[in-house]
Amino acid sequence: MVTSQPRSAAAREAILAAAAIEFDEHGYAGTSIASIAARAGTVKGHVQYHFRTKSTIATELIQASFAQGAFLAPGPEIVPRGIAAILANTRGVAQQFQSDVRARATVRLLAEKSRIDGDLPTPYVGWMGNVEVMLEEAKQDGDVRADIDSRECAWLMVAAFFGALSVSQTLGTLDRFPHRVERLVRMLLASMAKPDNLS
Amino acid sequence: MVTSQPRSAAAREAILAAAAIEFDEHGYAGTSIASIAARAGTVKGHVQYHFRTKSTIATELIQASFAQGAFLAPGPEIVPRGIAAILANTRGVAQQFQSDVRARATVRLLAEKSRIDGDLPTPYVGWMGNVEVMLEEAKQDGDVRADIDSRECAWLMVAAFFGALSVSQTLGTLDRFPHRVERLVRMLLASMAKPDNLS
């Protein structure tokens, strides 16, 4: 079989696009090579010619998302620092999840990480590290208290972000997700900015 | 076949216990009647004698969790009101998720709700309603500002709770979940208690 490289790349791309929709809707365990083929308007053998297994497809989608800097969302403009960076980051990633099926598929696949046979990045921790750096900048800027535990607060902010995403998906209210997650992040930042009278 | 009722109930209970472990670890799509049977130390036919389909098992587990008042966690003591009730509730449910595989299985199954053919409760909204009532009490008690949107804040608190649970599960740090989720809830309550200087 003779396959020109450009044509082969386009075929792989079409399969990845179909797979992202399937993974986003049904998760890893709920998707099959057959359902990906059906979504791509082709047959199982065609998919298997380009990707040996379902794990190979999932791994390629996830690695591409991380390579493209998804979940870092620096944006085209110059990235601000501290609290402004956290808010810009939140907005950028929220909009990405709303509009980009591959970003949503990646998050869902990473929750099923243990089932996928491939070399996958650990989710959340890279983003938590970035938020930790921004919180340290916010300390220097006097926007959050000097005594907050940046690492722990970054963990909580990222977890809250993904909770809002997951609940929005389950309840079918993804349209309100960017608004809600920004509010959540602002509430958490507000609690770090002032003396805590609850503990 | 003659089956005494107590023996039949015990057999069903053993199957449900095995199914909860499988659903907690592998989700709905990743679990089969065969894997439930293997976990229960029996054969497929025995499981199918007691439960017609995988959906029937999942539905029974979920309905039992909701019927037992899981996710409401009133606790044995007299339930306080307002902020004290929110904190008691958070602690109770956090400990339940850490120790009770059926509660964790229920949460995981509800995230795959669309795949389960049964009469299932909508997740989150019952709990959100309870938190909304407690926030209204907290307003009356002067513990949160009178101008907060209780319904929206309850949505965000419940979403943050489930985000912390999900990220703890994925990163294998469920042991720190009760501590972290209490901190998260306290931060959100602190931001409601004071004038917001970020917006």
Side-chain angles (χ1 to χ4, degrees):
Chain A
M1 189 191 246
V2 178
T3 310
S4 73
Q5 272 314 99
R7 180 164 293 184
S8 178
R12 286 174 65 86
E13 199 47 40
I15 292 164
L16 287 171
I21 298 169
E22 288 295 307
F23 288 135
D24 175 42
E25 288 183 8
H26 306 298
Y28 182 76
T31 295
S32 63
I33 293 274
S35 71
I36 294 169
R39 174 75 70 170
T42 182
V43 294
K44 264 181 79 170
H46 176 77
V47 173
Q48 285 165 323
Y49 171 78
H50 289 283
F51 297 93
R52 207 166 44 78
T53 62
K54 186 171 71 161
S55 277
T56 319
I57 303 175
T59 302
E60 185 148 331
L61 272 174
I62 294 168
Q63 286 174 342
S65 284
F66 274 74
Q68 283 165 18
F71 319 120
L72 304 180
E77 76 283 28
I78 292 162
V79 183
R81 55 175 266 137
I83 281 189
I86 291 173
L87 289 172
N89 198 280
T90 300
R91 276 185 213 115
V93 183
Q95 280 159 12
Q96 190 185 15
F97 281 117
Q98 213 185 16
S99 62
D100 181 356
V101 68
R102 292 195 188 202
R104 290 199 303 275
T106 295
V107 169
R108 190 144 183 195
L109 287 170
L110 284 170
E112 289 178 88
K113 198 169 179 292
S114 62
R115 305 180 61 82
I116 304 171
D117 181 25
D119 186 20
L120 302 182
T122 301
Y124 311 124
V125 292
W127 193 7
M128 286 169 179
N130 292 339
V131 174
E132 186 184 343
V133 169
M134 297 171 201
L135 283 176
E136 283 298 317
E137 291 167 352
K139 271 189 197 178
Q140 291 161 15
D141 299 344
D143 288 330
V144 303
R145 291 195 313 278
D147 66 343
I148 68 152
D149 179 339
S150 301
R151 174 164 298 185
E152 191 65 13
C153 287
W155 195 103
L156 298 175
M157 290 181 85
V158 170
F161 182 102
F162 279 98
L165 177 64
S166 169
V167 172
S168 295
Q169 284 178 315
T170 303
L171 297 182
T173 55
L174 211 50
D175 56 319
R176 294 165 76 182
F177 169 63
H179 172 75
R180 280 181 161 142
V181 78
E182 180 164 343
R183 186 160 182 173
L184 193 50
V185 166
R186 282 184 182 275
M187 287 171 78
L188 292 172
L189 288 172
S191 77
M192 293 177 219
K194 300 154 197 167
D196 185 346
N197 66 7
L198 274 166
S199 46
Chain B
M1 188 191 245
V2 178
T3 312
S4 71
Q5 272 315 99
R7 180 163 293 183
S8 178
R12 285 174 65 88
E13 199 47 40
I15 293 164
L16 288 171
I21 297 169
E22 287 295 306
F23 288 136
D24 175 40
E25 286 182 9
H26 307 297
Y28 182 75
T31 296
S32 63
I33 293 274
S35 71
I36 293 169
R39 174 76 69 169
T42 183
V43 293
K44 264 181 78 170
H46 176 77
V47 173
Q48 286 165 323
Y49 171 77
H50 289 283
F51 297 94
R52 208 167 42 79
T53 63
K54 186 170 70 161
S55 277
T56 319
I57 303 174
T59 302
E60 186 150 329
L61 271 174
I62 294 167
Q63 286 175 342
S65 285
F66 274 74
Q68 283 165 19
F71 319 120
L72 304 179
E77 76 285 25
I78 291 162
V79 183
R81 55 174 268 137
I83 280 188
I86 291 173
L87 291 172
N89 198 281
T90 300
R91 279 187 211 115
V93 184
Q95 280 159 11
Q96 189 184 16
F97 280 117
Q98 212 185 16
S99 62
D100 181 356
V101 67
R102 293 196 188 200
R104 290 200 302 275
T106 296
V107 168
R108 188 141 184 198
L109 286 170
L110 284 169
E112 290 177 86
K113 198 170 180 291
S114 62
R115 306 180 61 80
I116 304 171
D117 181 24
D119 186 19
L120 301 181
T122 301
Y124 312 124
V125 293
W127 193 8
M128 287 169 178
N130 292 340
V131 174
E132 186 185 343
V133 169
M134 296 171 202
L135 284 175
E136 282 298 316
E137 291 167 351
K139 271 189 197 179
Q140 290 162 15
D141 299 344
D143 289 329
V144 303
R145 291 194 312 279
D147 66 342
I148 69 151
D149 181 340
S150 302
R151 174 164 297 186
E152 192 65 13
C153 288
W155 195 104
L156 297 175
M157 290 182 87
V158 170
F161 183 103
F162 279 98
L165 177 65
S166 169
V167 172
S168 296
Q169 285 179 314
T170 302
L171 297 182
T173 56
L174 210 51
D175 56 319
R176 293 166 75 182
F177 169 63
H179 172 76
R180 279 181 161 144
V181 77
E182 181 165 342
R183 186 160 181 171
L184 193 49
V185 166
R186 282 184 182 274
M187 287 171 78
L188 292 172
L189 288 172
S191 77
M192 293 178 218
K194 299 156 198 165
D196 186 343
N197 66 6
L198 275 165
S199 48

